[in-house]
């Protein structure tokens, strides 16, 4: 006899998903979605993400396969615009915290990636923290430190850690315990290494940095949810994701962006030309004044203009 079960999506491609049953010892099933599309996710690159909760029916033959019948309402959803697939993509669902991972070197520090990932955290309504991994390799570059300090100034927590030496990892453990976290970052910053560092004996595949190009080699190819045993008493889960080369935010228009960058948001609508100000040439522009006064970092202003221009392109909606 078949029966309805509730389950947690652990990983999935575009049509086969590993679902962990919530009852009876948590067996895993390889599931397809019943029918063609799941309601509410039409037009997305993928219909489900790790962290999603579903109702499913194990196959009567007991061969470890099953059919997904429906999706439980989501608490939140982390997405991005997938430029290659020209469609929005689900990265993780029902998460408590987004970990935006960067490195001081190897691959080089990429504050613009952080700006973009932080915008997506704000859009999703999920708190974000910056994790500067490979701090053992830090050369105390004043430019890196200045930007990290500026992220702290505008209200983001910044952790300097090393998955390799363990430096800063107690703070990292405290941050993730009893929560569901999602890692976001470019290839090679050490996302999978951070998960490995939390679980003794765990050996998720990690990839060396390509020396010639000083970047990662896209070792993780599919997002997955990993339970972290022995950390916290109410369950700790981390969603590891594949490295993203360029993060294009999704879910807002270019005109709305101002509300999703923390130090910009209070200034929305205050320019002489109000909401129609493009914040580039107009007299009485409060954004440009804030840049000149050091309230908005020049690099963040540059990111703002670039992201807004991209969002205003019709192909990225
Ligand atoms: N020195 C140093 N190397 C590290 C650290 N963390 C990770 N690495 C190395 O960096 C390389 C990339 O690590 P991964 O964990 O595969 O990076 P990733 O972010 O998961 O990369 P993708 O799966 O390609 O997105 C590996 O050679 C790791 O051993 C660290 O804290 N310090
Ligand atoms: Mg990886
Ligand atoms: Zn303006």
């Amino acid at each position: 006899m078949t029966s309805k079960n509730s389950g947690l999506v652990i990983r999935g491609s575009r049509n086969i998903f590993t679902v962990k049953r919530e009852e009876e010892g948590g067996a895993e099933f390889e599931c397809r979605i019943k029918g063609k599309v799941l309601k509410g996710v039409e037009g997305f690159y993928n219909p489900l993400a790790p962290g999603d909760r579903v109702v499913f029916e194990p196959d009567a033959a007991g061969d470890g396969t099953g059919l997904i019948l429906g999706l439980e309402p989501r608490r939140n959803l982390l997405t991005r615009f997938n430029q290659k697939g020209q469609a929005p993509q689900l990265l993780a669902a029902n998460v408590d915290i987004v970990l935006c991972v960067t490195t001081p070197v190897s691959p080089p520090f990429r504050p613009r990636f952080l700006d973009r990932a932080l915008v997506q955290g704000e859009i999703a309504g999920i708190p974000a923290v910056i994790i500067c991994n490979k701090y053992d390799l830090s050369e105390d570059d004043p430019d890196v430190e200045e930007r990290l300090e500026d992220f702290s100034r505008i209200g983001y927590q910044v952790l300097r850690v090393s998955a390799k030496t363990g430096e800063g990892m107690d703070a990292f453990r405290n941050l993730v315990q009893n929560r569901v976290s999602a890692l976001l970052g470019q290839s090679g910053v050490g996302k999978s290494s951070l998960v490995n560092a939390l679980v003794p004996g765990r050996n998720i595949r990690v990839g060396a940095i390509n020396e010639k190009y000083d970047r990662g080699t896209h070792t993780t190819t599919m997002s997955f949810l990993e339970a972290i045993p022995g950390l916290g008493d109410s369950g700790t889960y981390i969603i590891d994701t594949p490295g993203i080369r360029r993060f294009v935010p999704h879910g807002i228009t270019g005109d709305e962006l101002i509300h999703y960058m923390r130090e910009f948001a209070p200034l929305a609508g205050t320019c002489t030309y109000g909401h129609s100000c493009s914040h580039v040439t107009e007299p009485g522009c409060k954004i440009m004044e804030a840049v000149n006064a050091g309230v908005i970092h020049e690099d963040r202003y540059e990111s703002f203009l670039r992201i807004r221009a991209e969002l205003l392109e019709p192909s990225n909606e």
Side-chain angles (χ1 to χ4, degrees), residues 183 185-188 190-193 195-196 204-207 216-224 239-244:
L183 293 161
Q186 294 183 309
S187 179
K191 298 178 295 300
S192 300
S193 302
V195 180
N196 282 339
I204 301 167
R205 206 155 79 84
V206 303
T217 46
H218 292 275
T219 308
T220 305
T221 55
M222 207 189 271
S223 299
F224 60 94
I239 298 174
D240 190 4
T241 63
I244 294 172

Side-chain angles (χ1 to χ4, degrees), residues 60-279:
D63 59 358
T65 66
L67 273 185
I68 293 170
L69 308 174
L71 172 66
E72 301 288 350
R74 289 169 170 140
R75 185 154 60 89
N76 57 45
L77 190 57
L78 192 63
T79 59
R80 68 157 180 145
F81 188 79
N82 183 317
Q83 280 190 309
K84 220 165 143 195
Q86 279 297 301
Q89 179 183 2
L90 312 182
L91 298 170
N94 304 318
V95 303
D96 298 311
I97 189 163
V98 185
L99 307 174
C100 302
V101 187
T102 187
T103 43
V105 288
S106 186
F109 182 58
R110 287 273 184 266
R112 290 192 194 293
F113 181 94
L114 296 178
D115 291 336
R116 288 162 175 270
L118 293 174
V119 163
Q120 196 65 54
E122 300 284 352
I123 294 170
I126 308 168
V129 173
I130 294 170
I131 309 296
C132 187
N133 186 37
K134 306 203 189 184
Y135 214 66
D136 56 294
L137 302 178
S138 167
E139 292 156 4
D140 294 325
D141 180 340
D143 293 340
V144 174
E145 293 307 320
E146 191 240 355
R147 280 313 311 275
L148 290 179
E149 277 157 31
D150 193 66
F151 284 115
S152 303
R153 180 188 66 89
I154 61 174
Y156 290 104
Q157 188 182 353
V158 178
L159 293 187
R160 294 160 172 84
V161 307
S162 169
K164 186 176 175 183
T165 66
E167 170 184 359
M169 290 300 285
D170 283 340
F172 185 75
R173 275 188 203 91
N174 280 333
L175 178 70
V176 300
Q177 73 174 356
N178 297 324
R179 287 178 162 149
V180 181
S181 313
L183 293 161
L184 282 188
Q186 294 183 309
S187 179
V189 294
K191 298 178 295 300
S192 300
S193 302
L194 286 166
V195 180
N196 282 339
L198 293 180
V199 191
R202 186 68 174 105
N203 204 1
I204 301 167
R205 206 155 79 84
V206 303
I209 299 300
N210 178 317
E211 282 187 27
K212 188 168 158 202
Y213 298 105
D214 199 14
R215 65 184 187 210
T217 46
H218 292 275
T219 308
T220 305
T221 55
M222 207 189 271
S223 299
F224 60 94
L225 182 139
E226 177 92 11
I228 311 294
L231 186 59
D233 41 27
S234 63
T236 300
Y237 298 88
I238 299 201
I239 298 174
D240 190 4
T241 63
I244 294 172
R245 200 162 284 143
R246 237 178 120 263
F247 197 106
V248 179
H250 160 258
I252 54 166
T253 65
D255 291 330
E256 291 166 337
L257 177 63
I258 193 163
H259 301 290
Y260 298 91
M261 291 182 75
R262 280 204 175 169
E263 69 284 37
F264 291 62
L267 301 173
T270 63
C271 303
T272 300
Y273 290 93
H275 289 289
S276 60
C277 185
S278 70
H279 318 298

Side-chain angles (χ1 to χ4, degrees), residues 24-78:
E24 300 170 47
E28 293 183 7
F29 295 82
E30 296 300 308
C31 296
R32 287 176 184 280
I33 295 171
K34 188 169 183 176
K36 274 236 151 68
V37 284
L38 221 52
K39 270 202 200 96
V41 289
E42 296 90 348
F44 274 81
Y45 183 77
N46 52 336
L48 293 169
D52 262 326
R53 294 188 180 271
V54 294
V55 176
F56 75 105
E57 188 175 59
D59 193 273
D63 59 358
T65 66
L67 273 185
I68 293 170
L69 308 174
L71 172 66
E72 301 288 350
R74 289 169 170 140
R75 185 154 60 89
N76 57 45
L77 190 57
L78 192 63

